[in-house]
Amino acid sequence: LLQLPGVVEELQKHFELSMNFLMNEAYLSTSVMFLMSINLLIWSSSGWNALRKDEEVYQSVYWAFTTLTTVGYGDLTPTNLTQTLYTVCVGIIGVTFFAGIIANVTNFIHNHDVSEQSFEHKNTCIKWFMERNDFTLDQINAIDRYFRLIEIDDNGLDEEFLLNERVPTHVKNSLLLH
């Protein structure tokens, strides 16, 4: 019982480190996506500039940006079959690339849900309740293992149902005695 504050402090440190890692991961993936976007822009504008030697570089970058983002204002258009095929390829690559970016951002947000419905939030609330009410470390670990097992088996928690229907009788009795 005397070691519990130290254990809680260690858990807080690990939590802060893991959240910092998630943020660093988000910054890293954002940086990679940004650099890939710049690379794709340079590649496609270089190709367009090679096909239309009479245009300025800034016009090629403008064309590449509007084509990759599928805006395509129509002020710079292909004039022959080669340019048309290149434009179609760049458009397809742009649609695919930006769909991938949107999918990655959506996946990141979905996987790092910090709402009240997330398992981690519920598990943290249960741990805080047990710590405030001076549960023993063995009781906290047993309940934590049980809820993690339920999360794996059932893909989610219904706290009222779990506490009233699924918690084994010996655990309920231990909690009631406590």
Side-chain angles (χ1 to χ4, degrees), residues 24-56:
N24 287 340
E25 181 183 324
Y27 292 133
L28 177 65
S29 77
T30 301
S31 300
V32 168
M33 284 187 248
F34 177 74
L35 291 174
M36 288 180 68
S37 300
I38 297 297
N39 189 26
L40 190 57
L41 182 68
I42 291 169
W43 169 81
S44 58
S45 64
S46 298
W48 184 255
N49 200 2
L51 292 173
R52 297 179 62 143
K53 297 180 185 343
D54 58 323
E55 286 185 357
E56 296 291 327

PDB file of all heavy atoms in Angstrom, residues 24-56:
ATOM      1  N   ASN A  24       4.247  12.833 -31.416  1.00  0.00           N
ATOM      2  CA  ASN A  24       5.412  12.817 -32.293  1.00  0.00           C
ATOM      3  C   ASN A  24       5.125  12.009 -33.552  1.00  0.00           C
ATOM      4  O   ASN A  24       5.553  12.366 -34.640  1.00  0.00           O
ATOM      5  CB  ASN A  24       6.627  12.250 -31.565  1.00  0.00           C
ATOM      6  CG  ASN A  24       7.165  13.223 -30.544  1.00  0.00           C
ATOM      7  OD1 ASN A  24       6.899  14.413 -30.620  1.00  0.00           O
ATOM      8  ND2 ASN A  24       7.911  12.715 -29.583  1.00  0.00           N
ATOM      9  N   GLU A  25       4.383  10.912 -33.400  1.00  0.00           N
ATOM     10  CA  GLU A  25       4.006  10.095 -34.552  1.00  0.00           C
ATOM     11  C   GLU A  25       3.123  10.900 -35.500  1.00  0.00           C
ATOM     12  O   GLU A  25       3.279  10.828 -36.720  1.00  0.00           O
ATOM     13  CB  GLU A  25       3.281   8.838 -34.073  1.00  0.00           C
ATOM     14  CG  GLU A  25       2.856   7.906 -35.173  1.00  0.00           C
ATOM     15  CD  GLU A  25       2.088   6.708 -34.644  1.00  0.00           C
ATOM     16  OE1 GLU A  25       2.420   6.218 -33.558  1.00  0.00           O
ATOM     17  OE2 GLU A  25       1.158   6.284 -35.335  1.00  0.00           O
ATOM     18  N   ALA A  26       2.202  11.674 -34.946  1.00  0.00           N
ATOM     19  CA  ALA A  26       1.329  12.500 -35.779  1.00  0.00           C
ATOM     20  C   ALA A  26       2.138  13.550 -36.531  1.00  0.00           C
ATOM     21  O   ALA A  26       1.921  13.777 -37.716  1.00  0.00           O
ATOM     22  CB  ALA A  26       0.258  13.170 -34.918  1.00  0.00           C
ATOM     23  N   TYR A  27       3.073  14.201 -35.822  1.00  0.00           N
ATOM     24  CA  TYR A  27       3.913  15.193 -36.490  1.00  0.00           C
ATOM     25  C   TYR A  27       4.779  14.554 -37.563  1.00  0.00           C
ATOM     26  O   TYR A  27       4.965  15.113 -38.643  1.00  0.00           O
ATOM     27  CB  TYR A  27       4.797  15.931 -35.479  1.00  0.00           C
ATOM     28  CG  TYR A  27       4.031  16.827 -34.548  1.00  0.00           C
ATOM     29  CD1 TYR A  27       4.266  16.798 -33.188  1.00  0.00           C
ATOM     30  CD2 TYR A  27       3.059  17.705 -35.028  1.00  0.00           C
ATOM     31  CE1 TYR A  27       3.560  17.620 -32.329  1.00  0.00           C
ATOM     32  CE2 TYR A  27       2.349  18.515 -34.176  1.00  0.00           C
ATOM     33  CZ  TYR A  27       2.605  18.475 -32.826  1.00  0.00           C
ATOM     34  OH  TYR A  27       1.897  19.282 -31.979  1.00  0.00           O
ATOM     35  N   LEU A  28       5.298  13.371 -37.282  1.00  0.00           N
ATOM     36  CA  LEU A  28       6.139  12.680 -38.240  1.00  0.00           C
ATOM     37  C   LEU A  28       5.348  12.318 -39.492  1.00  0.00           C
ATOM     38  O   LEU A  28       5.794  12.574 -40.612  1.00  0.00           O
ATOM     39  CB  LEU A  28       6.745  11.420 -37.611  1.00  0.00           C
ATOM     40  CG  LEU A  28       7.597  10.572 -38.539  1.00  0.00           C
ATOM     41  CD1 LEU A  28       8.833  11.349 -38.974  1.00  0.00           C
ATOM     42  CD2 LEU A  28       7.998   9.278 -37.843  1.00  0.00           C
ATOM     43  N   SER A  29       4.175  11.736 -39.328  1.00  0.00           N
ATOM     44  CA  SER A  29       3.389  11.350 -40.501  1.00  0.00           C
ATOM     45  C   SER A  29       2.918  12.574 -41.272  1.00  0.00           C
ATOM     46  O   SER A  29       2.872  12.545 -42.496  1.00  0.00           O
ATOM     47  CB  SER A  29       2.220  10.449 -40.110  1.00  0.00           C
ATOM     48  OG  SER A  29       1.176  11.158 -39.541  1.00  0.00           O
ATOM     49  N   THR A  30       2.611  13.662 -40.569  1.00  0.00           N
ATOM     50  CA  THR A  30       2.239  14.897 -41.262  1.00  0.00           C
ATOM     51  C   THR A  30       3.414  15.432 -42.066  1.00  0.00           C
ATOM     52  O   THR A  30       3.244  15.851 -43.217  1.00  0.00           O
ATOM     53  CB  THR A  30       1.770  15.958 -40.242  1.00  0.00           C
ATOM     54  OG1 THR A  30       0.663  15.443 -39.517  1.00  0.00           O
ATOM     55  CG2 THR A  30       1.376  17.248 -40.932  1.00  0.00           C
ATOM     56  N   SER A  31       4.592  15.380 -41.495  1.00  0.00           N
ATOM     57  CA  SER A  31       5.790  15.843 -42.209  1.00  0.00           C
ATOM     58  C   SER A  31       6.065  14.985 -43.430  1.00  0.00           C
ATOM     59  O   SER A  31       6.395  15.511 -44.502  1.00  0.00           O
ATOM     60  CB  SER A  31       7.008  15.814 -41.282  1.00  0.00           C
ATOM     61  OG  SER A  31       6.802  16.644 -40.180  1.00  0.00           O
ATOM     62  N   VAL A  32       5.936  13.682 -43.289  1.00  0.00           N
ATOM     63  CA  VAL A  32       6.159  12.786 -44.425  1.00  0.00           C
ATOM     64  C   VAL A  32       5.141  13.064 -45.529  1.00  0.00           C
ATOM     65  O   VAL A  32       5.493  13.131 -46.716  1.00  0.00           O
ATOM     66  CB  VAL A  32       6.114  11.313 -43.970  1.00  0.00           C
ATOM     67  CG1 VAL A  32       6.049  10.365 -45.158  1.00  0.00           C
ATOM     68  CG2 VAL A  32       7.305  10.992 -43.100  1.00  0.00           C
ATOM     69  N   MET A  33       3.880  13.233 -45.158  1.00  0.00           N
ATOM     70  CA  MET A  33       2.850  13.531 -46.162  1.00  0.00           C
ATOM     71  C   MET A  33       3.128  14.855 -46.865  1.00  0.00           C
ATOM     72  O   MET A  33       2.969  14.967 -48.083  1.00  0.00           O
ATOM     73  CB  MET A  33       1.464  13.556 -45.515  1.00  0.00           C
ATOM     74  CG  MET A  33       0.913  12.201 -45.209  1.00  0.00           C
ATOM     75  SD  MET A  33      -0.792  12.305 -44.653  1.00  0.00           S
ATOM     76  CE  MET A  33      -0.600  11.822 -42.967  1.00  0.00           C
ATOM     77  N   PHE A  34       3.559  15.859 -46.107  1.00  0.00           N
ATOM     78  CA  PHE A  34       3.876  17.163 -46.698  1.00  0.00           C
ATOM     79  C   PHE A  34       5.042  17.043 -47.679  1.00  0.00           C
ATOM     80  O   PHE A  34       4.977  17.561 -48.799  1.00  0.00           O
ATOM     81  CB  PHE A  34       4.191  18.173 -45.596  1.00  0.00           C
ATOM     82  CG  PHE A  34       4.602  19.520 -46.119  1.00  0.00           C
ATOM     83  CD1 PHE A  34       3.655  20.382 -46.674  1.00  0.00           C
ATOM     84  CD2 PHE A  34       5.921  19.926 -46.075  1.00  0.00           C
ATOM     85  CE1 PHE A  34       4.022  21.616 -47.178  1.00  0.00           C
ATOM     86  CE2 PHE A  34       6.308  21.160 -46.572  1.00  0.00           C
ATOM     87  CZ  PHE A  34       5.354  22.017 -47.134  1.00  0.00           C
ATOM     88  N   LEU A  35       6.102  16.345 -47.271  1.00  0.00           N
ATOM     89  CA  LEU A  35       7.259  16.187 -48.146  1.00  0.00           C
ATOM     90  C   LEU A  35       6.914  15.377 -49.396  1.00  0.00           C
ATOM     91  O   LEU A  35       7.388  15.683 -50.498  1.00  0.00           O
ATOM     92  CB  LEU A  35       8.416  15.535 -47.387  1.00  0.00           C
ATOM     93  CG  LEU A  35       9.041  16.408 -46.303  1.00  0.00           C
ATOM     94  CD1 LEU A  35      10.083  15.614 -45.515  1.00  0.00           C
ATOM     95  CD2 LEU A  35       9.657  17.667 -46.898  1.00  0.00           C
ATOM     96  N   MET A  36       6.080  14.371 -49.243  1.00  0.00           N
ATOM     97  CA  MET A  36       5.649  13.597 -50.411  1.00  0.00           C
ATOM     98  C   MET A  36       4.809  14.459 -51.349  1.00  0.00           C
ATOM     99  O   MET A  36       4.902  14.321 -52.572  1.00  0.00           O
ATOM    100  CB  MET A  36       4.890  12.351 -49.970  1.00  0.00           C
ATOM    101  CG  MET A  36       5.784  11.297 -49.360  1.00  0.00           C
ATOM    102  SD  MET A  36       4.888   9.828 -48.826  1.00  0.00           S
ATOM    103  CE  MET A  36       4.368   9.160 -50.397  1.00  0.00           C
ATOM    104  N   SER A  37       3.986  15.333 -50.790  1.00  0.00           N
ATOM    105  CA  SER A  37       3.184  16.245 -51.619  1.00  0.00           C
ATOM    106  C   SER A  37       4.084  17.172 -52.424  1.00  0.00           C
ATOM    107  O   SER A  37       3.864  17.388 -53.624  1.00  0.00           O
ATOM    108  CB  SER A  37       2.243  17.084 -50.750  1.00  0.00           C
ATOM    109  OG  SER A  37       1.367  16.290 -50.039  1.00  0.00           O
ATOM    110  N   ILE A  38       5.096  17.723 -51.770  1.00  0.00           N
ATOM    111  CA  ILE A  38       6.043  18.609 -52.456  1.00  0.00           C
ATOM    112  C   ILE A  38       6.783  17.841 -53.549  1.00  0.00           C
ATOM    113  O   ILE A  38       6.944  18.324 -54.678  1.00  0.00           O
ATOM    114  CB  ILE A  38       7.044  19.238 -51.456  1.00  0.00           C
ATOM    115  CG1 ILE A  38       6.323  20.112 -50.445  1.00  0.00           C
ATOM    116  CG2 ILE A  38       8.141  20.013 -52.175  1.00  0.00           C
ATOM    117  CD1 ILE A  38       5.613  21.301 -51.040  1.00  0.00           C
ATOM    118  N   ASN A  39       7.213  16.620 -53.232  1.00  0.00           N
ATOM    119  CA  ASN A  39       7.911  15.789 -54.207  1.00  0.00           C
ATOM    120  C   ASN A  39       7.026  15.488 -55.415  1.00  0.00           C
ATOM    121  O   ASN A  39       7.466  15.578 -56.561  1.00  0.00           O
ATOM    122  CB  ASN A  39       8.375  14.491 -53.536  1.00  0.00           C
ATOM    123  CG  ASN A  39       9.288  13.681 -54.413  1.00  0.00           C
ATOM    124  OD1 ASN A  39       9.964  14.205 -55.292  1.00  0.00           O
ATOM    125  ND2 ASN A  39       9.328  12.392 -54.153  1.00  0.00           N
ATOM    126  N   LEU A  40       5.792  15.148 -55.168  1.00  0.00           N
ATOM    127  CA  LEU A  40       4.843  14.870 -56.245  1.00  0.00           C
ATOM    128  C   LEU A  40       4.589  16.115 -57.085  1.00  0.00           C
ATOM    129  O   LEU A  40       4.509  16.040 -58.319  1.00  0.00           O
ATOM    130  CB  LEU A  40       3.538  14.336 -55.646  1.00  0.00           C
ATOM    131  CG  LEU A  40       2.512  13.760 -56.599  1.00  0.00           C
ATOM    132  CD1 LEU A  40       3.102  12.632 -57.414  1.00  0.00           C
ATOM    133  CD2 LEU A  40       1.321  13.257 -55.805  1.00  0.00           C
ATOM    134  N   LEU A  41       4.496  17.254 -56.439  1.00  0.00           N
ATOM    135  CA  LEU A  41       4.296  18.515 -57.149  1.00  0.00           C
ATOM    136  C   LEU A  41       5.493  18.832 -58.056  1.00  0.00           C
ATOM    137  O   LEU A  41       5.321  19.198 -59.225  1.00  0.00           O
ATOM    138  CB  LEU A  41       4.068  19.646 -56.143  1.00  0.00           C
ATOM    139  CG  LEU A  41       3.785  21.026 -56.722  1.00  0.00           C
ATOM    140  CD1 LEU A  41       2.432  21.034 -57.409  1.00  0.00           C
ATOM    141  CD2 LEU A  41       3.816  22.060 -55.614  1.00  0.00           C
ATOM    142  N   ILE A  42       6.691  18.649 -57.533  1.00  0.00           N
ATOM    143  CA  ILE A  42       7.900  18.910 -58.323  1.00  0.00           C
ATOM    144  C   ILE A  42       7.992  17.932 -59.494  1.00  0.00           C
ATOM    145  O   ILE A  42       8.285  18.324 -60.633  1.00  0.00           O
ATOM    146  CB  ILE A  42       9.160  18.832 -57.428  1.00  0.00           C
ATOM    147  CG1 ILE A  42       9.166  20.009 -56.461  1.00  0.00           C
ATOM    148  CG2 ILE A  42      10.433  18.805 -58.267  1.00  0.00           C
ATOM    149  CD1 ILE A  42      10.214  19.891 -55.373  1.00  0.00           C
ATOM    150  N   TRP A  43       7.729  16.663 -59.227  1.00  0.00           N
ATOM    151  CA  TRP A  43       7.804  15.646 -60.275  1.00  0.00           C
ATOM    152  C   TRP A  43       6.821  15.946 -61.410  1.00  0.00           C
ATOM    153  O   TRP A  43       7.191  15.931 -62.584  1.00  0.00           O
ATOM    154  CB  TRP A  43       7.517  14.267 -59.668  1.00  0.00           C
ATOM    155  CG  TRP A  43       7.326  13.214 -60.700  1.00  0.00           C
ATOM    156  CD1 TRP A  43       8.298  12.539 -61.375  1.00  0.00           C
ATOM    157  CD2 TRP A  43       6.078  12.730 -61.197  1.00  0.00           C
ATOM    158  NE1 TRP A  43       7.732  11.665 -62.256  1.00  0.00           N
ATOM    159  CE2 TRP A  43       6.362  11.765 -62.172  1.00  0.00           C
ATOM    160  CE3 TRP A  43       4.738  13.029 -60.916  1.00  0.00           C
ATOM    161  CZ2 TRP A  43       5.361  11.084 -62.864  1.00  0.00           C
ATOM    162  CZ3 TRP A  43       3.756  12.357 -61.598  1.00  0.00           C
ATOM    163  CH2 TRP A  43       4.067  11.393 -62.560  1.00  0.00           C
ATOM    164  N   SER A  44       5.585  16.214 -61.063  1.00  0.00           N
ATOM    165  CA  SER A  44       4.574  16.436 -62.102  1.00  0.00           C
ATOM    166  C   SER A  44       4.789  17.757 -62.832  1.00  0.00           C
ATOM    167  O   SER A  44       4.569  17.846 -64.043  1.00  0.00           O
ATOM    168  CB  SER A  44       3.164  16.346 -61.516  1.00  0.00           C
ATOM    169  OG  SER A  44       2.991  17.271 -60.480  1.00  0.00           O
ATOM    170  N   SER A  45       5.238  18.794 -62.135  1.00  0.00           N
ATOM    171  CA  SER A  45       5.493  20.069 -62.826  1.00  0.00           C
ATOM    172  C   SER A  45       6.714  19.960 -63.735  1.00  0.00           C
ATOM    173  O   SER A  45       6.753  20.560 -64.810  1.00  0.00           O
ATOM    174  CB  SER A  45       5.661  21.212 -61.830  1.00  0.00           C
ATOM    175  OG  SER A  45       6.787  21.012 -61.017  1.00  0.00           O
ATOM    176  N   SER A  46       7.699  19.156 -63.340  1.00  0.00           N
ATOM    177  CA  SER A  46       8.869  18.940 -64.205  1.00  0.00           C
ATOM    178  C   SER A  46       8.464  18.216 -65.483  1.00  0.00           C
ATOM    179  O   SER A  46       8.932  18.560 -66.580  1.00  0.00           O
ATOM    180  CB  SER A  46       9.941  18.126 -63.481  1.00  0.00           C
ATOM    181  OG  SER A  46      10.397  18.797 -62.359  1.00  0.00           O
ATOM    182  N   GLY A  47       7.611  17.224 -65.349  1.00  0.00           N
ATOM    183  CA  GLY A  47       7.129  16.507 -66.530  1.00  0.00           C
ATOM    184  C   GLY A  47       6.338  17.417 -67.459  1.00  0.00           C
ATOM    185  O   GLY A  47       6.507  17.379 -68.681  1.00  0.00           O
ATOM    186  N   TRP A  48       5.477  18.249 -66.881  1.00  0.00           N
ATOM    187  CA  TRP A  48       4.685  19.179 -67.690  1.00  0.00           C
ATOM    188  C   TRP A  48       5.596  20.205 -68.371  1.00  0.00           C
ATOM    189  O   TRP A  48       5.412  20.528 -69.540  1.00  0.00           O
ATOM    190  CB  TRP A  48       3.649  19.879 -66.820  1.00  0.00           C
ATOM    191  CG  TRP A  48       2.725  20.791 -67.582  1.00  0.00           C
ATOM    192  CD1 TRP A  48       2.757  22.152 -67.596  1.00  0.00           C
ATOM    193  CD2 TRP A  48       1.650  20.404 -68.432  1.00  0.00           C
ATOM    194  NE1 TRP A  48       1.762  22.644 -68.404  1.00  0.00           N
ATOM    195  CE2 TRP A  48       1.059  21.585 -68.933  1.00  0.00           C
ATOM    196  CE3 TRP A  48       1.112  19.185 -68.832  1.00  0.00           C
ATOM    197  CZ2 TRP A  48      -0.024  21.578 -69.801  1.00  0.00           C
ATOM    198  CZ3 TRP A  48       0.035  19.183 -69.694  1.00  0.00           C
ATOM    199  CH2 TRP A  48      -0.523  20.359 -70.165  1.00  0.00           C
ATOM    200  N   ASN A  49       6.601  20.670 -67.663  1.00  0.00           N
ATOM    201  CA  ASN A  49       7.542  21.635 -68.216  1.00  0.00           C
ATOM    202  C   ASN A  49       8.361  20.999 -69.348  1.00  0.00           C
ATOM    203  O   ASN A  49       8.689  21.667 -70.334  1.00  0.00           O
ATOM    204  CB  ASN A  49       8.462  22.173 -67.125  1.00  0.00           C
ATOM    205  CG  ASN A  49       9.116  23.484 -67.516  1.00  0.00           C
ATOM    206  OD1 ASN A  49       8.871  24.025 -68.582  1.00  0.00           O
ATOM    207  ND2 ASN A  49       9.959  23.992 -66.648  1.00  0.00           N
ATOM    208  N   ALA A  50       8.671  19.703 -69.216  1.00  0.00           N
ATOM    209  CA  ALA A  50       9.399  19.007 -70.285  1.00  0.00           C
ATOM    210  C   ALA A  50       8.526  18.855 -71.527  1.00  0.00           C
ATOM    211  O   ALA A  50       9.036  18.899 -72.651  1.00  0.00           O
ATOM    212  CB  ALA A  50       9.871  17.647 -69.793  1.00  0.00           C
ATOM    213  N   LEU A  51       7.226  18.696 -71.337  1.00  0.00           N
ATOM    214  CA  LEU A  51       6.309  18.561 -72.476  1.00  0.00           C
ATOM    215  C   LEU A  51       5.988  19.907 -73.123  1.00  0.00           C
ATOM    216  O   LEU A  51       5.629  19.958 -74.299  1.00  0.00           O
ATOM    217  CB  LEU A  51       5.005  17.887 -72.030  1.00  0.00           C
ATOM    218  CG  LEU A  51       5.116  16.422 -71.623  1.00  0.00           C
ATOM    219  CD1 LEU A  51       3.789  15.942 -71.039  1.00  0.00           C
ATOM    220  CD2 LEU A  51       5.536  15.561 -72.805  1.00  0.00           C
ATOM    221  N   ARG A  52       6.086  20.977 -72.365  1.00  0.00           N
ATOM    222  CA  ARG A  52       5.759  22.325 -72.878  1.00  0.00           C
ATOM    223  C   ARG A  52       6.917  23.257 -72.555  1.00  0.00           C
ATOM    224  O   ARG A  52       6.869  24.045 -71.628  1.00  0.00           O
ATOM    225  CB  ARG A  52       4.465  22.802 -72.241  1.00  0.00           C
ATOM    226  CG  ARG A  52       3.309  21.886 -72.651  1.00  0.00           C
ATOM    227  CD  ARG A  52       2.028  22.271 -72.064  1.00  0.00           C
ATOM    228  NE  ARG A  52       1.553  23.575 -72.430  1.00  0.00           N
ATOM    229  CZ  ARG A  52       0.277  23.853 -72.646  1.00  0.00           C
ATOM    230  NH1 ARG A  52      -0.612  22.905 -72.570  1.00  0.00           N
ATOM    231  NH2 ARG A  52      -0.091  25.069 -72.917  1.00  0.00           N
ATOM    232  N   LYS A  53       7.925  23.169 -73.357  1.00  0.00           N
ATOM    233  CA  LYS A  53       9.170  23.913 -73.127  1.00  0.00           C
ATOM    234  C   LYS A  53       8.993  25.424 -73.204  1.00  0.00           C
ATOM    235  O   LYS A  53       9.802  26.171 -72.689  1.00  0.00           O
ATOM    236  CB  LYS A  53      10.229  23.450 -74.112  1.00  0.00           C
ATOM    237  CG  LYS A  53      10.603  21.992 -73.931  1.00  0.00           C
ATOM    238  CD  LYS A  53      11.652  21.578 -74.917  1.00  0.00           C
ATOM    239  CE  LYS A  53      12.016  20.128 -74.918  1.00  0.00           C
ATOM    240  NZ  LYS A  53      11.708  19.274 -73.891  1.00  0.00           N
ATOM    241  N   ASP A  54       7.921  25.885 -73.826  1.00  0.00           N
ATOM    242  CA  ASP A  54       7.708  27.325 -73.979  1.00  0.00           C
ATOM    243  C   ASP A  54       7.105  27.981 -72.742  1.00  0.00           C
ATOM    244  O   ASP A  54       7.025  29.200 -72.664  1.00  0.00           O
ATOM    245  CB  ASP A  54       6.809  27.582 -75.201  1.00  0.00           C
ATOM    246  CG  ASP A  54       5.471  26.879 -75.094  1.00  0.00           C
ATOM    247  OD1 ASP A  54       5.429  25.751 -74.566  1.00  0.00           O
ATOM    248  OD2 ASP A  54       4.460  27.451 -75.549  1.00  0.00           O
ATOM    249  N   GLU A  55       6.688  27.180 -71.742  1.00  0.00           N
ATOM    250  CA  GLU A  55       6.062  27.754 -70.552  1.00  0.00           C
ATOM    251  C   GLU A  55       7.094  28.026 -69.466  1.00  0.00           C
ATOM    252  O   GLU A  55       8.131  27.364 -69.379  1.00  0.00           O
ATOM    253  CB  GLU A  55       4.984  26.816 -70.006  1.00  0.00           C
ATOM    254  CG  GLU A  55       3.737  26.799 -70.850  1.00  0.00           C
ATOM    255  CD  GLU A  55       2.630  25.960 -70.230  1.00  0.00           C
ATOM    256  OE1 GLU A  55       2.844  25.346 -69.186  1.00  0.00           O
ATOM    257  OE2 GLU A  55       1.560  25.945 -70.821  1.00  0.00           O
ATOM    258  N   GLU A  56       6.765  28.968 -68.618  1.00  0.00           N
ATOM    259  CA  GLU A  56       7.605  29.287 -67.464  1.00  0.00           C
ATOM    260  C   GLU A  56       7.436  28.210 -66.390  1.00  0.00           C
ATOM    261  O   GLU A  56       6.420  27.518 -66.339  1.00  0.00           O
ATOM    262  CB  GLU A  56       7.202  30.651 -66.880  1.00  0.00           C
ATOM    263  CG  GLU A  56       7.416  31.818 -67.817  1.00  0.00           C
ATOM    264  CD  GLU A  56       8.887  32.108 -68.058  1.00  0.00           C
ATOM    265  OE1 GLU A  56       9.702  31.893 -67.132  1.00  0.00           O
ATOM    266  OE2 GLU A  56       9.214  32.532 -69.177  1.00  0.00           O
TER     267      GLU A  56
END
